[in-house]
Amino acid sequence: MPGPRGTVIVVGAGIAGLSTAWALERRGFQVSVFEQGPIPNPRATSYDDHRITRHAYGAHEGYAYLMPEAFAVYDRMFKETGTDHFDRSKVIYFLREEVGWYEPTVRSLTRMGSGFRDIPLTEVGERFPMVQTEGLTRAVETDEGGMLFPIRILTDLVIHLGNRGVRFHADSRVEEVDPEAGRVVANGREYRADHVVIAAGAWVNTLTPLLADTVVASRQAVMYLAPPPELARAWAAAPVLIDMGVDSGTYTLPPRRGTRLKIGDHVFTRAGDADGDRLATDDDVARLESAARLGYRDFDRYQVLERKICFYTVTRDDSERFAVRPWGRRAWVVSACSGHGFKLGPLVGDSVAAAIAGERAAEETIAKLAGLLDLAAPVPAPAA
């Protein structure tokens, strides 16, 4: 039987799709989720051991001002699913060149009342013995952040949603979407609903032309490592570390709650086929390995446990804005761009569900999720 608010088909079972399904079901919609592989899908962008979340966003101040609400939505989700998969910690930023990060970060953190402070460079070597201190110009400690554990979050969401009556269609590759009729064709079979939400990650452009000029799939490499034994204890106690150098730029998540040490970079390839393999080649990791050697002492002594490829949807320009838009009379398209999707996924899903439910105008939703907030306006309070 349809839910009291109507029916919705969600295409994609990553964090954006499952969060949208969660937010819609809470509002009384009957929801069906279609995924081209298993649920959760190991090939999905969202599927990973751990991901960073934080309040400091540099020049992307609009996203910084979304983070208190994003944290609050995650808290609400964890309360409903029964387990908190967020390891709260400080996030440390190491600056080596001027990259336009410090001034807007100080401005946004100050406005939000989020704590931060400089770390004297003379203390960095003792506090973080793994870090290459040569060339550092500044070290900044921020209070709000930590690590999310995606595989566990996705799995809990699937169990919770299934228990709430959400219908899952695994191994169902969507071939066609009609945004005017609310019609979806998957594995040659037709389905209809009052609304359709496309949250297909790096496959979004195969289902709709709406974002073709805005976003593109990007093949990205990460590495999982075992540190030298003498640094194992330091890494186990370390917070999230982000190197802001032009050549050395990396983000590093320490081993926590049974995960491995992980390192990646934020340089987008804007190339590759999301249907391709997930095995990183020497060429895939060449830039990452070079950056890691500049950021960490004796990096060649770290053992590589896995080199992995994931695919993000990223903007064709450098704006890194989310692209969330209505399509036709009955559809929405969600592209949580440029590596920021997981930390903001539940907020994106809740915002799209609010628009579908008539709680918020489409234009307001689009502007909010693109980080286009009025910087002169008061910082939004977290949602209740």
Side-chain angles (χ1 to χ4, degrees):
M1 293 291 292
R5 304 291 292 274
T7 57
V8 184
I9 289 173
V10 176
V11 181
I15 189 61
L18 291 178
S19 295
T20 303
W22 168 73
L24 287 164
E25 190 282 327
R26 304 175 80 243
R27 287 170 167 83
F29 289 90
Q30 179 185 308
V31 184
S32 298
V33 177
F34 286 75
E35 170 58 49
Q36 63 182 325
I39 301 175
N41 188 347
R43 293 175 62 83
T45 301
S46 298
Y47 197 87
D48 200 355
D49 289 356
H50 44 1
R51 293 278 176 89
I52 297 170
T53 189
R54 64 188 192 275
H55 278 195
Y57 254 90
H60 300 295
E61 290 184 71
Y63 286 135
Y65 300 131
L66 290 178
M67 292 314 297
E69 186 178 357
F71 276 51
V73 178
Y74 255 120
D75 285 342
R76 188 161 66 241
M77 177 182 286
F78 291 146
K79 183 177 180 179
E80 291 189 14
T81 59
T83 306
D84 188 330
H85 295 300
F86 177 25
D87 188 276
R88 293 157 178 82
S89 79
K90 299 181 187 302
V91 181
I92 313 298
Y93 296 84
F94 299 103
L95 282 69
R96 300 178 187 274
E97 294 95 7
E98 174 53 51
V99 292
W101 177 89
Y102 185 75
E103 182 179 342
T105 295
V106 168
R107 181 168 54 241
S108 60
L109 293 182
T110 299
R111 287 191 68 209
M112 292 187 292
S114 182
F116 67 94
R117 64 207 56 85
D118 276 24
I119 299 174
L121 294 180
T122 54
E123 297 179 8
V124 171
E126 181 178 355
R127 288 185 57 181
F128 307 103
M130 67 287 283
V131 171
Q132 174 58 261
T133 57
E134 183 178 352
L136 284 181
T137 60
R138 189 167 224 142
V140 181
E141 179 179 68
T142 63
D143 290 340
E144 304 288 345
M147 292 174 284
L148 298 163
F149 298 87
I151 295 172
R152 304 174 201 186
I153 293 170
L154 297 176
T155 301
D156 277 3
L157 267 176
V158 170
I159 294 169
H160 174 74
L161 293 174
N163 291 342
R164 299 282 298 177
V166 171
R167 297 190 63 184
F168 292 104
H169 299 261
D171 300 312
S172 296
R173 192 175 187 106
V174 172
E175 303 144 4
E176 182 182 341
V177 177
D178 182 340
E180 300 297 334
R183 184 176 67 91
V184 167
V185 178
N187 293 350
R189 182 177 174 184
E190 184 177 290
Y191 302 84
R192 289 182 179 267
D194 299 314
H195 306 275
V196 177
V197 178
I198 298 175
W203 291 267
V204 64
N205 288 340
T206 68
L207 296 176
T208 171
L210 189 68
L211 304 182
D213 294 334
T214 305
V215 303
V216 63
S218 187
R219 181 180 174 92
Q220 302 296 134
V222 297
M223 294 193 299
Y224 300 90
L225 309 166
E230 68 273 16
L231 291 176
R233 181 173 295 181
W235 271 117
V240 172
L241 304 181
I242 299 180
D243 187 291
M244 303 294 292
V246 173
D247 295 319
S248 59
T250 57
Y251 61 87
T252 308
L253 293 89
R256 198 80 90 244
R257 299 191 189 182
T259 63
R260 299 165 291 177
L261 176 65
K262 171 187 165 185
I263 188 168
D265 64 25
H266 203 61
V267 178
F268 302 129
T269 69
R270 295 185 173 86
D273 180 1
D275 283 325
D277 66 76
R278 296 296 187 271
L279 301 175
T281 66
D282 290 345
D283 288 342
D284 286 320
V285 301
R287 191 273 166 194
L288 177 55
E289 289 181 330
S290 175
R293 291 188 185 99
L294 295 173
Y296 293 109
R297 294 175 176 171
D298 300 322
F299 184 74
D300 288 330
R301 294 186 57 229
Y302 287 67
Q303 298 184 70
V304 178
L305 305 176
E306 182 182 2
R307 305 190 305 185
K308 178 183 174 181
I309 290 296
C310 64
F311 277 87
Y312 294 149
T313 303
V314 307
T315 50
R316 292 185 180 276
D317 58 20
D318 292 325
S319 68
E320 300 189 23
R321 298 194 190 283
F322 284 15
V324 179
R325 301 176 190 168
W327 182 34
R329 292 189 306 118
R330 296 182 181 272
W332 277 80
V333 180
V334 174
S335 180
C337 289
S338 305
H340 306 308
F342 207 94
K343 59 180 72 72
L344 285 158
L347 177 59
V348 170
D350 190 64
S351 298
V352 171
I356 290 173
E359 301 167 13
R360 180 180 294 128
E363 294 78 11
E364 181 185 350
T365 298
I366 294 166
K368 173 181 179 178
L369 296 179
L372 298 173
L373 298 181
D374 180 358
L375 299 185
V379 176

